[in-house]
C-alpha cells in the first residue's frame, strides 16, 4: 500500500510583510514589489514547480489600527497589510500555472453570497477547477466601519450568518446543472433553460433568488478553507471546511487540535480525509545548521517587538500600547477581541512565561508558530515527525523571506520529502479538490 501523502499550502499576502514582520527590510526580500502582479505570478510558478497543493491569500479589509490609536506604527514599520484584491491577483496566477490550487480569503460578514458565489465560480472557470475560498467571518471593528456598519455582530451570530452564506452560495453554485450550456449553433440552442434554476434562499441573515449568472464550474464549488479556533469556529469548520489552517505552537497542541477537528468532521457525516488540517510552520533554511541559524538570527533582527505588540493588538482588537513591555502576558486582562488567537498566544506564554515585549518579538518573528531552522534534511525530519505523529495532514508553509524561502524549499526540502515517499512527485489530478483528497 502506498504511503499517506502530505499536503502543502503556501501562505501569501498582497503586502510587504507576511508571517515575519520586518522581513521586507531584508535585502533579498521582494516585499517592496507588493503591487506588481509579476511577483505573485513568480511565486505561483515556484510553488507549482514544488508540486504544492495550492496557495492562499490572507486578506483583511482595513489598515490595522488597534495600536496607539491609529495605523501609524503598522504603516511606518511595514506590518501586515493587504494592499490589493487577491481575486484579481489569483486570476493572473491562474494564467501562468495549470495544477496549483488558488485560494483567497473572503468575508461572509461583508460580502453578499451572490457576489461570493459569482467571484469564486469565475475563478474556478479561469483556473479550470483550482479555486479555493478561505471563509472568514471577520473580527475587526474597523472592517465593519469600512462597510458602513456601526459595530460587528457578536462572534456566534457571525458564524450563524456564515452558515447561511455557505448554504446560499452552495445553492447558487448548483443553480446551473452541468450540461446546461449547449452551444448548438445549428439548432439555435445556446443553453438549456430547463437546467438552470432559481434558488430562492431565505435565511435569517441572507436572501438570494438566483440563478447565478455563471454556469456550473469544474469543481462546482471551490475548495472551502477555514481557520476558526473558537468552539463555534471549530463547529463551523467541522461542517464545511476541506482545509483547516491553524496556528499551534507545539506538537501536543497540534495533536489535540487534530483529534478534535477530525471528530467534528466525522460527527458532521463526512469522511476524515475530506478535511486536511494544515498547521502553519515558518521555515528558515541553510546548507548547514550553522548557516541556517546565522540566517535566522539575521532575519529575526528585523522583527521589532513594538511592531509585534502592535500586531498582537491588531489580532486581538485591543490596544496594548499602554501596557509595559515587561508585563507577563498572562497578567493582561482581556475580555474582548479574538479569543482564538489569544489562546494560541497563551499556549506560548504558559510554556515559556513570556512578557508582552517577548511575546511581541515572537509574534513578529513567526506569529508564535514553530520557526523551523535547519538544513533541508532537518526540516524534512521535523515535517515528517509532525505528519506521522498525527499532528496534521500537511502544512501551511510560511516563508521567512519571500521569494527566497519558497525557492529554497522547493529546490531542497520537496525532493527530500519525495525521496521519503510522503509527498507527490507529479500532480495526479487537475483540480484542487482531487489533489487534496487523494
Ligand atoms: C492561519 C490563519 C490565517 C487567517 N487568515 C485570516 C484572513 O486572511 N482574514 C481574516 O479576516 N481572518 C483570518 N484568520 C482569522 C480566522 O478566520 C479566525 O477569525 C481566527 O482564527 C479566530 O478564530 P475564531 O473566529 O473561531 O475565534 C486567520 C487565522 C489563521 C489561524
Amino acid at each position: 500500500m502506498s504511503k499517506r501523502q502530505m499536503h502543502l499550502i503556501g501562505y501569501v499576502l498582497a503586502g510587504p510583510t507576511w508571517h515575519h514582520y520586518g522581513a521586507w527590510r531584508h535585502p533579498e526580500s521582494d516585499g517592496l514589489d507588493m503591487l506588481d502582479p509579476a511577483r505573485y505570478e513568480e511565486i505561483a510558478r515556484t510553488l507549482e514547480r514544488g508540486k504544492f497543493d495550492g496557495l492562499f491569500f490572507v486578506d483583511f479589509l482595513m489598515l490595522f489600527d488597534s495600536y496607539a490609536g491609529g495605523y501609524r506604527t503598522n504603516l511606518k514599520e511595514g506590518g501586515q497589510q493587504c494592499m490589493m484584491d487577491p481575486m484579481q491577483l489569483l486570476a493572473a496566477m491562474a494564467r501562468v500555472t495549470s495544477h496549483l490550487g488558488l485560494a483567497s480569503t473572503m468575508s461572509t460578514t461583508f460580502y453578499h453570497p451572490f457576489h461570493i458565489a459569482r467571484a469564486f465560480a469565475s475563478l474556478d472557470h479561469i483556473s479550470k477547477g483550482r479555486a479555493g475560498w478561505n471563509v472568514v467571518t471577520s473580527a475587526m471593528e474597523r472592517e465593519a466601519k469600512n462597510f458602513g456598519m456601526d459595530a460587528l455582530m457578536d462572534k456566534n451570530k457571525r458564524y450563524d450568518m456564515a452558515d447561511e452564506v455557505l448554504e446560499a452560495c452552495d445553492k447558487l453554485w448548483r443553480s446551473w446543472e452541468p450540461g446546461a450550456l449547449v452551444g448548438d449553433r445549428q439548432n439555435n440552442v445556446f443553453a438549456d433553460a430547463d437546467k438552470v434554476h432559481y434558488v430562492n434562499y431565505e435565511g435569517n441573515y441572507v436572501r438570494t433568488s438566483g440563478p447565478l449568472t455563471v454556469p456550473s464550474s469544474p469543481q462546482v464549488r471551490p475548495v472551502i478553507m477555514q481557520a476558526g479556533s473558537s468552539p463555534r469556529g471549530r463547529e463551523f469548520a467541522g461542517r464545511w471546511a476541506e482545509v483547516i489552517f491553524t496556528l499551534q505552537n507545539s506538537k501536543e497542541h497540534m495533536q489535540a487540535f487534530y483529534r478534535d477537528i477530525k471528530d467534528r468532521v466525522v460527527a458532521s457525516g463526512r469522511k476524515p480525509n475530506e478535511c486536511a488540517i494544515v498547521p502553519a510552520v515558518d521555515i528558515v533554511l541553510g546548507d548547514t545548521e550553522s548557516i541556517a541559524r546565522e540566517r535566522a538570527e539575521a532575519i529575526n533582527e528585523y522583527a521589532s517587538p513594538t511592531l509585534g505588540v502592535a500586531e498582537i493588538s491588531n489580532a486581538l482588537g485591543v490596544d496594548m500600547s499602554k501596557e509595559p513591555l515587561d508585563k507577563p502576558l498572562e497578567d493582561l486582562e482581556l475580555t474582548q477581541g479574538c479569543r482564538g488567537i489569544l489562546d494560541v498566544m497563551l499556549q506560548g506564554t504558559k510554556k515559556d512565561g513570556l512578557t508582552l515585549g517577548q511575546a511581541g518579538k515572537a509574534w513578529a518573528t513567526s506569529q508564535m508558530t514553530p520557526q523551523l531552522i535547519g538544513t533541508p534534511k532537518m526540516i524534512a525530519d521535523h515535517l515528517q515527525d509532525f505528519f506521522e505523529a498525527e499532528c496534521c495532514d500537511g502544512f501551511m508553509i510560511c516563508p521567512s523571506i519571500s521569494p527566497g524561502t519558497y525557492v529554497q524549499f522547493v529546490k531542497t526540502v520537496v525532493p527530500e520529502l519525495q525521496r521519503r515517499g510522503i509527498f507527490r512527485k507529479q500532480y495526479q489530478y487537475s483540480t484542487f479538490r482531487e489533489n487534496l483528497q487523494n
Side-chain angles (χ1 to χ4, degrees):
M1 210 176 104
S2 59
K3 277 191 181 169
R4 180 173 160 245
Q5 298 292 292
M6 183 183 283
H7 298 288
L8 296 178
I9 308 276
Y11 177 98
V12 185
L13 208 147
T17 278
W18 297 8
H19 241 206
H20 192 297
Y21 312 138
W24 68 274
R25 293 172 63 204
H26 193 282
E28 291 167 20
S29 165
D30 65 0
L32 294 178
D33 299 332
M34 72 263 156
L35 303 178
D36 184 351
R39 175 200 199 199
Y40 304 97
E41 289 173 359
E42 195 48 39
I43 289 166
R45 283 195 197 95
T46 301
L47 296 185
E48 181 154 284
R49 219 169 39 246
K51 310 292 181 284
F52 271 50
D53 292 75
L55 56 78
F56 98 104
F57 273 93
V58 167
D59 198 30
F60 289 89
L61 301 159
M62 60 179 287
L63 285 185
F64 287 107
D65 64 352
S66 298
Y67 184 77
Y71 42 68
R72 186 167 293 276
T73 305
N74 180 277
L75 265 189
K76 179 185 166 293
E77 295 199 25
Q80 274 206 344
Q81 290 151 33
C82 303
M83 298 183 125
M84 292 220 279
D85 178 348
M87 294 302 282
Q88 303 192 40
L89 295 172
L90 287 170
M93 292 158 111
R95 300 292 294 157
V96 298
T97 52
S98 55
H99 287 84
L100 186 72
L102 299 165
S104 176
T105 300
M106 204 177 279
S107 169
T108 51
T109 300
F110 304 126
Y111 289 105
H112 191 275
F114 195 88
H115 174 94
I116 297 172
R118 192 166 192 253
F120 283 101
S122 302
L123 179 64
D124 206 45
H125 278 294
I126 293 168
S127 63
K128 299 189 168 39
R130 295 183 285 133
W133 171 22
N134 177 36
V135 179
V136 297
T137 63
S138 301
M140 307 293 163
E141 292 292 336
R142 177 67 56 200
E143 292 182 294
K145 292 198 168 63
N146 281 343
F147 281 79
M149 299 172 190
D150 292 333
L152 275 177
M153 283 190 294
D154 79 48
K155 187 200 291 283
N156 287 344
K157 285 209 176 112
R158 292 201 310 272
Y159 275 116
D160 292 345
M161 178 174 175
D163 272 324
E164 289 190 4
V165 172
L166 267 284
E167 287 165 6
C169 284
D170 195 58
K171 286 194 186 305
L172 289 167
W173 285 317
R174 293 174 203 284
S175 61
W176 286 62
E177 292 177 36
L181 270 185
V182 179
D184 181 347
R185 289 185 171 123
Q186 203 74 34
N187 295 302
N188 189 20
V189 184
F190 171 72
D192 180 350
D194 290 340
K195 292 189 171 164
V196 181
H197 310 284
Y198 293 107
V199 304
N200 294 323
Y201 181 85
E202 299 254 350
N204 291 319
Y205 299 90
V206 293
R207 286 198 248 164
T208 181
S209 69
L212 200 60
T213 59
V214 187
S216 175
S217 72
Q219 294 187 113
V220 181
R221 75 177 192 193
V223 167
I224 304 295
M225 307 172 138
Q226 219 268 335
S229 48
S230 62
R232 183 63 181 93
R234 291 180 189 211
E235 183 193 321
F236 178 86
R239 177 175 177 198
W240 296 104
E242 297 167 84
V243 175
I244 296 184
F245 303 122
T246 173
L247 303 178
Q248 303 289 332
N249 55 22
S250 76
K251 203 167 164 177
E252 296 70 40
H253 290 113
M254 284 186 196
Q255 285 166 328
F257 184 82
Y258 188 82
R259 279 192 302 272
D260 180 61
I261 296 286
K262 290 283 172 173
D263 287 348
R264 288 173 194 265
V265 169
V266 172
S268 298
R270 299 196 290 148
K271 297 199 195 84
N273 80 328
E274 286 176 32
C275 178
I277 298 173
V278 293
V281 285
D282 283 55
I283 308 277
V284 185
L285 277 158
D287 289 341
T288 65
E289 187 176 353
S290 63
I291 293 175
R293 293 212 170 276
E294 272 168 36
R295 202 169 161 75
E297 235 168 78
I299 300 166
N300 293 347
E301 271 298 297
Y302 292 116
S304 125
T306 311
L307 180 58
V309 173
E311 294 282 7
I312 289 175
S313 301
N314 291 326
L316 296 171
V318 178
D319 183 1
M320 293 190 173
S321 60
K322 302 267 171 10
E323 301 288 351
L325 289 182
D326 58 1
K327 190 166 183 173
L329 192 57
E330 272 192 288
D331 292 352
L332 291 167
E333 294 259 332
L334 294 169
T335 51
Q336 45 172 317
C338 200
R339 180 73 217 177
I341 289 181
L342 177 66
D343 285 342
V344 173
M345 291 193 297
L346 287 179
Q347 285 174 21
T349 52
K350 276 182 200 140
K351 191 161 51 79
D352 304 329
L354 297 186
T355 62
L356 181 60
Q358 290 163 331
K361 178 83 184 175
W363 190 257
T365 303
S366 67
Q367 290 195 342
M368 290 192 180
T369 54
Q371 191 183 43
L372 306 182
I373 303 167
T375 63
K377 193 175 164 313
M378 289 165 68
I379 302 291
D381 285 345
H382 275 301
L383 299 184
Q384 185 169 10
D385 177 42
F386 285 142
F387 179 60
E388 291 179 349
E390 303 242 308
C391 291
C392 60
D393 297 304
F395 299 92
M396 178 168 73
I397 302 295
C398 304
S400 51
I401 295 185
S402 167
T405 310
Y406 275 148
V407 173
Q408 274 182 301
F409 186 90
V410 162
K411 201 167 151 203
T412 61
V413 181
V414 166
E416 188 62 38
L417 297 171
Q418 290 169 331
R419 252 193 302 283
R420 299 174 187 202
I422 52 174
F423 188 62
R424 68 171 70 82
K425 289 189 173 146
Q426 296 300 335
Y427 288 107
Q428 302 280 328
Y429 303 94
S430 57
T431 68
F432 190 13
R433 179 170 291 111
E434 287 170 303
N435 282 317
L436 276 168
Q437 290 188 2
N438 292 289

